[in-house]
Amino acid sequence: MTVAAALVATSALSLASDPANAEMNWKAADGQTINLMLISHPFVESLKPLLPEFTAKTGIKVTYEELAEQSGFEKLLADLSSKTGTYDVFMTSPLNNWQYAAAGWLEPLDGLIANTDKTAADYDVNDFIPSILSAGRWDLTPLKGIGEGSLWTLPINFESYQLAYRPSLLKKLGLQVPKTYADLLAMADKLAIDGPNGKMHGIITRFDRYWDLPYLTFGTMLQSYGVEMLDKDGKLQICSDKSIAATQDFVTLIKKASPEGAGAFTWYEAMQGFASGQYVFSLNEANLFAPTYEDPKQSAIAGDVGYAPTPLGPDGKRAAAAWIWSLSMNSASSHKDAAWLFMQWVTSKETMIKTHLAGNMNPVRKSAWDAPEVAKLMESWGETPGQYIQAAKTEAEVATIRFPPHPELTRMLDRWAEAIQKSYFGQGDVKTNLCNAQADIQKMLDE
Amino acid sequence: MFLRTLAQKLALALCYLAFAGFVLFPLVWIFMMSIKNFGDIIAYPPRFLFTPTLENYVEVLLGNDAQRAGGQVPDLLKFLMNSVIISGGAVLISALLGIPAAYALARRRDKTSDKLRFTFLSFRFAPELAVILPLYVIYTRIGLYDSYVGMILVHQLITLPLMILILASFFRDMPIEIEEAARIDGARIWTMLTRIVVPIARPGIASAMMIAFIFSWNNMIFGLVLAGGSTRPVTMGILQAMTFDQIKWGMMAASAMVSALPGMIAAVLFQKQITRGLTMGAVK
């Protein structure tokens, strides 16, 4: 297309839509190619078929690499740290971005969003769920300033944590869905039952020895007990009374109601174990597993699974961690305009809804939660109509990132996870392990 | 007497059977996994009786519904093709360079050649991770990243030392008298290599190439870092069955079966050469 033709086309378009936005031109980077780093995820499956639409709309060709999470982040780190700019846009999370942003590898996005030449008038950044969008903001001050400063990333989905259960088994056992962790602890002994394929267990949960343990699933329990990593004065709370109580309850729960080997369960064991029908509860699991459970081709429990909000802590408090997948732009990219067009296209209302319908859970835009076709998809999930939506919404109200932003956070959380694991495996008591971890983490903070 | 030998034979047969079972069980297990649906794969206890399905193979070989509708080439076939080009190219170049090099090393036996041999050997146990990041930067700067040429070049680190080491010891076992006779007839070194040594050593060369090919085929780390979307080898491709929340075991098993095929086919085709190569000296 010639420049003149492009001008005619865009002015015609802008006349038809919004004269105030006469300058925004989807064809501004016509003919360029951008390269993405994508992590294998239902979002990516939902995105791939839509890419030709983007190319047709903008004339920008999209190439991408799709890798498993670990190898993807390794390769991304190699590229970002060498500033070669191989990837213009990549999938990431606020947590990873504390490292990337501090190193200057990310392009701040506020200027682009505010620029009416580069951003469509109907983009509507205020339509994002505020807490999820602001998790991508950080002013680069270690340990504080999350939600402040520059926006480094745009969310594409989020996961929070919930309780999944088997209605038929609870009925058989004569038990109710637990409202509090104390309720769950009280029934832990009674959950061992004989199934059609041998002994079944009460609870499956993710329990591996990495940062995700105090951050995600058990993190949700910790936070419900009122545990924060740092208190208001910046002092570590890892071996506080609340943290010790939560860890003791968790270890007891898993020892009573989980099979041997539970101390090494990753998402893979957790999700497939529950889907194969060997467990009564899946504790604080990622709520975006539901599409798999509900699919009879992938799960043995389709039609017999219920969802409930995570149990309440001792003070009747509910809290939940959140993981947010998002898109960020490489500051070493040589196609920043094209990259921005791509990012705003993916996170636009229209494209987001299309990805949700193809399995990208959970929506990060309010308009997507309200979209009738998205609501209809989730309506049937659960023991009763709308149960999943209700549970997910309850969690979304409290889900947030409660950890202090720090480039080395994952290293600290790894140490914390080690202390929890040691306690489970009977190497020392909970209090000593947690206090030792706290001392080590304090050293990392002082470095 | 007869009974005793029969018993012995039976025992021996049982031993063979047990050994074959031990060797083949993982392969059989992966094959079974590749023809199960997800529910059967994650079933506990493991199921030996199930309704087999070709779904995994269909998805791996023909692509998923969206890809089929879009007329796209399925990912695994692309990755397989990439692996064939990379490993095949790497082995061919290694053969061209490695045969003369191995011949020289075999026939020139002094301290320098010993040092050279050791240097080549050291490429085999040098950790790939130590060179991979600098290589990544260099490759992206000079445009070799995600290119077949770049991948074939870096795979020389795997294939060339193997070719040289295997062939050098092979050439050394060849009786030098043949070459001396040829030299008396006036053959120069190049003629000797191309007309006499290589034809005699053909089985050895074939088996060395085969081994180098398999090592190159199985490499993953170069594919992870230096290959991008367009040259990714099959070892990386199989990993795509690992998503963030679950492993698509069925697809992974089917991909593994399909990707193991070229190696198996090559092994069968070259079987005669390989067994000769592995068992013979030059003119026994």
Side-chain angles (χ1 to χ4, degrees), chain A residues 383-405:
Chain A
E383 194 183 353
T384 51
Q387 192 189 36
Y388 171 83
I389 298 178
Q390 202 46 51
K393 278 192 168 165
T394 307
E395 293 298 320
E397 280 165 21
V398 290
T400 182
I401 298 178
R402 288 187 181 76
F403 284 87

Short mmCIF file of all heavy atoms in Angstrom, two decimals, chain A residues 383-405:
data_model
loop_
_atom_site.label_atom_id
_atom_site.label_comp_id
_atom_site.label_asym_id
_atom_site.label_seq_id
_atom_site.Cartn_x
_atom_site.Cartn_y
_atom_site.Cartn_z
N GLU A 383 -20.43 -27.65 40.56
CA GLU A 383 -21.50 -28.52 41.04
C GLU A 383 -22.86 -27.91 40.71
O GLU A 383 -23.80 -28.62 40.38
CB GLU A 383 -21.35 -28.67 42.57
CG GLU A 383 -22.16 -29.80 43.15
CD GLU A 383 -22.03 -29.87 44.66
OE1 GLU A 383 -21.21 -29.12 45.25
OE2 GLU A 383 -22.75 -30.67 45.27
N THR A 384 -22.95 -26.59 40.82
CA THR A 384 -24.19 -25.90 40.46
C THR A 384 -23.86 -24.83 39.44
O THR A 384 -22.71 -24.38 39.37
CB THR A 384 -24.77 -25.20 41.71
OG1 THR A 384 -23.74 -24.42 42.32
CG2 THR A 384 -25.29 -26.21 42.71
N PRO A 385 -24.83 -24.41 38.61
CA PRO A 385 -24.54 -23.40 37.59
C PRO A 385 -23.92 -22.14 38.21
O PRO A 385 -24.36 -21.67 39.26
CB PRO A 385 -25.90 -23.10 36.99
CG PRO A 385 -26.72 -24.30 37.27
CD PRO A 385 -26.23 -24.86 38.56
N GLY A 386 -22.88 -21.64 37.57
CA GLY A 386 -22.28 -20.39 38.02
C GLY A 386 -21.35 -20.54 39.21
O GLY A 386 -20.79 -19.56 39.69
N GLN A 387 -21.14 -21.78 39.67
CA GLN A 387 -20.31 -21.96 40.86
C GLN A 387 -18.87 -21.52 40.64
O GLN A 387 -18.26 -20.86 41.48
CB GLN A 387 -20.34 -23.44 41.30
CG GLN A 387 -19.75 -23.64 42.68
CD GLN A 387 -19.57 -25.11 43.01
OE1 GLN A 387 -19.25 -25.92 42.15
NE2 GLN A 387 -19.80 -25.44 44.26
N TYR A 388 -18.33 -21.87 39.46
CA TYR A 388 -16.94 -21.49 39.19
C TYR A 388 -16.80 -19.97 39.14
O TYR A 388 -15.89 -19.40 39.74
CB TYR A 388 -16.47 -22.09 37.86
CG TYR A 388 -15.13 -21.56 37.43
CD1 TYR A 388 -13.96 -22.11 37.93
CD2 TYR A 388 -15.03 -20.47 36.56
CE1 TYR A 388 -12.72 -21.60 37.59
CE2 TYR A 388 -13.80 -19.95 36.21
CZ TYR A 388 -12.66 -20.52 36.73
OH TYR A 388 -11.43 -20.00 36.39
N ILE A 389 -17.71 -19.33 38.43
CA ILE A 389 -17.64 -17.87 38.31
C ILE A 389 -17.66 -17.24 39.69
O ILE A 389 -16.88 -16.34 40.01
CB ILE A 389 -18.81 -17.33 37.47
CG1 ILE A 389 -18.73 -17.90 36.05
CG2 ILE A 389 -18.80 -15.81 37.43
CD1 ILE A 389 -19.87 -17.48 35.15
N GLN A 390 -18.57 -17.75 40.55
CA GLN A 390 -18.70 -17.19 41.90
C GLN A 390 -17.39 -17.35 42.67
O GLN A 390 -16.90 -16.40 43.28
CB GLN A 390 -19.86 -17.88 42.62
CG GLN A 390 -20.44 -17.07 43.76
CD GLN A 390 -20.67 -15.60 43.37
OE1 GLN A 390 -21.29 -15.31 42.35
NE2 GLN A 390 -20.12 -14.68 44.16
N ALA A 391 -16.83 -18.55 42.60
CA ALA A 391 -15.58 -18.79 43.34
C ALA A 391 -14.46 -17.91 42.79
O ALA A 391 -13.70 -17.29 43.54
CB ALA A 391 -15.20 -20.26 43.24
N ALA A 392 -14.36 -17.85 41.46
CA ALA A 392 -13.28 -17.07 40.86
C ALA A 392 -13.43 -15.58 41.20
O ALA A 392 -12.45 -14.90 41.48
CB ALA A 392 -13.27 -17.27 39.35
N LYS A 393 -14.68 -15.10 41.20
CA LYS A 393 -14.90 -13.68 41.51
C LYS A 393 -14.57 -13.39 42.97
O LYS A 393 -13.96 -12.36 43.28
CB LYS A 393 -16.34 -13.28 41.20
CG LYS A 393 -16.55 -12.96 39.73
CD LYS A 393 -17.89 -12.28 39.48
CE LYS A 393 -17.93 -11.73 38.06
NZ LYS A 393 -19.30 -11.38 37.64
N THR A 394 -14.97 -14.31 43.86
CA THR A 394 -14.66 -14.12 45.28
C THR A 394 -13.14 -14.02 45.47
O THR A 394 -12.65 -13.19 46.23
CB THR A 394 -15.19 -15.31 46.10
OG1 THR A 394 -16.58 -15.47 45.79
CG2 THR A 394 -15.02 -15.08 47.59
N GLU A 395 -12.41 -14.89 44.78
CA GLU A 395 -10.95 -14.86 44.91
C GLU A 395 -10.37 -13.60 44.29
O GLU A 395 -9.44 -13.01 44.82
CB GLU A 395 -10.33 -16.10 44.25
CG GLU A 395 -10.66 -17.40 44.92
CD GLU A 395 -10.16 -17.49 46.35
OE1 GLU A 395 -9.04 -17.02 46.64
OE2 GLU A 395 -10.90 -18.01 47.18
N ALA A 396 -10.95 -13.22 43.14
CA ALA A 396 -10.41 -12.05 42.44
C ALA A 396 -10.52 -10.79 43.30
O ALA A 396 -9.68 -9.90 43.20
CB ALA A 396 -11.14 -11.85 41.11
N GLU A 397 -11.55 -10.77 44.18
CA GLU A 397 -11.71 -9.59 45.03
C GLU A 397 -10.53 -9.42 45.99
O GLU A 397 -10.19 -8.31 46.37
CB GLU A 397 -13.00 -9.71 45.86
CG GLU A 397 -14.24 -9.34 45.07
CD GLU A 397 -15.51 -9.80 45.75
OE1 GLU A 397 -15.49 -10.05 46.97
OE2 GLU A 397 -16.53 -9.92 45.03
N VAL A 398 -9.94 -10.53 46.41
CA VAL A 398 -8.84 -10.42 47.38
C VAL A 398 -7.47 -10.74 46.79
O VAL A 398 -6.45 -10.49 47.42
CB VAL A 398 -9.09 -11.36 48.59
CG1 VAL A 398 -10.24 -10.84 49.42
CG2 VAL A 398 -9.32 -12.79 48.14
N ALA A 399 -7.47 -11.28 45.57
CA ALA A 399 -6.20 -11.72 45.00
C ALA A 399 -5.31 -10.54 44.66
O ALA A 399 -5.73 -9.59 44.01
CB ALA A 399 -6.44 -12.55 43.74
N THR A 400 -4.08 -10.59 45.11
CA THR A 400 -3.13 -9.54 44.76
C THR A 400 -1.73 -10.02 45.07
O THR A 400 -1.53 -11.08 45.66
CB THR A 400 -3.45 -8.25 45.54
OG1 THR A 400 -2.54 -7.25 45.12
CG2 THR A 400 -3.31 -8.44 47.03
N ILE A 401 -0.76 -9.25 44.65
CA ILE A 401 0.63 -9.60 44.94
C ILE A 401 1.03 -8.90 46.22
O ILE A 401 1.09 -7.68 46.27
CB ILE A 401 1.54 -9.19 43.77
CG1 ILE A 401 1.12 -9.96 42.52
CG2 ILE A 401 3.00 -9.47 44.11
CD1 ILE A 401 1.90 -9.60 41.29
N ARG A 402 1.27 -9.68 47.28
CA ARG A 402 1.57 -9.07 48.58
C ARG A 402 3.06 -9.11 48.90
O ARG A 402 3.46 -8.94 50.03
CB ARG A 402 0.80 -9.79 49.69
CG ARG A 402 -0.67 -9.49 49.67
CD ARG A 402 -1.39 -10.07 50.88
NE ARG A 402 -2.81 -9.78 50.80
CZ ARG A 402 -3.65 -10.42 50.00
NH1 ARG A 402 -3.21 -11.38 49.24
NH2 ARG A 402 -4.93 -10.08 49.97
N PHE A 403 3.87 -9.38 47.91
CA PHE A 403 5.29 -9.50 48.20
C PHE A 403 6.03 -8.22 47.85
O PHE A 403 5.64 -7.51 46.93
CB PHE A 403 5.88 -10.69 47.44
CG PHE A 403 5.50 -11.97 48.08
CD1 PHE A 403 4.31 -12.60 47.74
CD2 PHE A 403 6.30 -12.54 49.06
CE1 PHE A 403 3.93 -13.77 48.35
CE2 PHE A 403 5.92 -13.71 49.67
CZ PHE A 403 4.74 -14.33 49.32
N PRO A 404 7.10 -7.93 48.57
CA PRO A 404 7.84 -6.71 48.27
C PRO A 404 8.59 -6.84 46.95
O PRO A 404 9.24 -7.87 46.73
CB PRO A 404 8.83 -6.62 49.44
CG PRO A 404 8.98 -8.02 49.92
CD PRO A 404 7.68 -8.69 49.68
N PRO A 405 8.47 -5.87 46.08
CA PRO A 405 9.18 -5.96 44.80
C PRO A 405 10.68 -5.89 45.02
O PRO A 405 11.16 -4.99 45.70
CB PRO A 405 8.69 -4.74 44.02
CG PRO A 405 8.17 -3.80 45.05
CD PRO A 405 7.72 -4.62 46.22
#
